[in-house]
Amino acid sequence: MSQTIGRTRLAYSRAWHHVSLSAPGTPPLGRLASQIAIILMGKHKPIWDPSTDCGDYIVATGCTDVYATGRKMQQKLYYKQTTRPGALKSLNMEGMMKKWGGGEILKRAVSGMLPKNRLRKPRLERLKGELGMRV
């Protein structure tokens, strides 16, 4: 039997998914990021293969309403290193929200849940974050 059955151009076509973070009943940041990572990898498709990039696009709206449980807004730290000795800088989630917005927080959460390989960057580029609501 041929291994190419089902691997057509139509099977690899990319769909667009919409995720609203301001909708009632939206899961917390971690659970939402894991669901987004599965869609970006294409694991929800029957043709999924770890070595191919067959995931879909995701548009996340209302990123200013990102929700984290507990005291993560004050306690979770994001680090940045400038490669200079003693130049490690940290910023908590509230500061990240003020400086870069909720889209960057969502992007970093999803990035941590994707496999660390050469497909990570193109998969992350398919995640589009918008601050306001779409009409």
Side-chain angles (χ1 to χ4, degrees):
M1 182 179 222
S2 175
Q3 296 294 318
T4 60
I5 293 177
R7 295 183 184 256
T8 62
R9 186 178 302 244
L10 181 63
Y12 280 100
S13 65
R14 299 188 193 279
W16 286 79
H17 300 270
H18 175 251
V19 175
S20 176
L21 298 174
S22 59
T26 302
L29 177 65
R31 291 177 188 267
L32 182 68
S34 64
Q35 292 171 0
I36 289 173
I38 287 172
I39 293 172
L40 287 175
M41 287 187 282
K43 280 188 147 183
H44 63 290
K45 295 183 176 182
I47 59 159
W48 179 75
D49 183 47
S51 63
T52 59
D53 193 11
C54 59
D56 294 339
Y57 289 93
I58 294 187
V59 178
T61 57
C63 290
T64 55
D65 298 328
V66 70
Y67 167 69
T69 58
R71 296 185 57 200
K72 290 186 187 84
M73 291 298 275
Q74 295 84 24
Q75 292 179 347
K76 178 159 178 56
L77 296 176
Y78 294 96
Y79 296 101
K80 182 173 71 170
Q81 174 60 268
T82 61
T83 68
R84 310 277 293 173
L88 181 67
K89 298 184 180 189
S90 62
L91 191 66
N92 64 0
M93 193 182 278
E94 280 181 339
M96 179 75 80
M97 184 73 102
K98 289 176 188 170
K99 188 171 184 179
W100 297 104
E104 181 66 22
I105 292 174
L106 181 65
K107 182 180 170 187
R108 288 192 183 203
V110 171
S111 174
M113 296 188 184
L114 288 174
K116 283 68 173 174
N117 58 20
R118 66 192 167 125
L119 295 175
R120 182 190 223 183
K121 189 176 177 185
R123 286 173 175 162
L124 270 178
E125 288 172 354
R126 288 198 307 271
L127 174 63
K128 315 291 184 192
E130 296 179 7
L131 298 177
M133 288 296 295
R134 288 195 330 184
V135 178

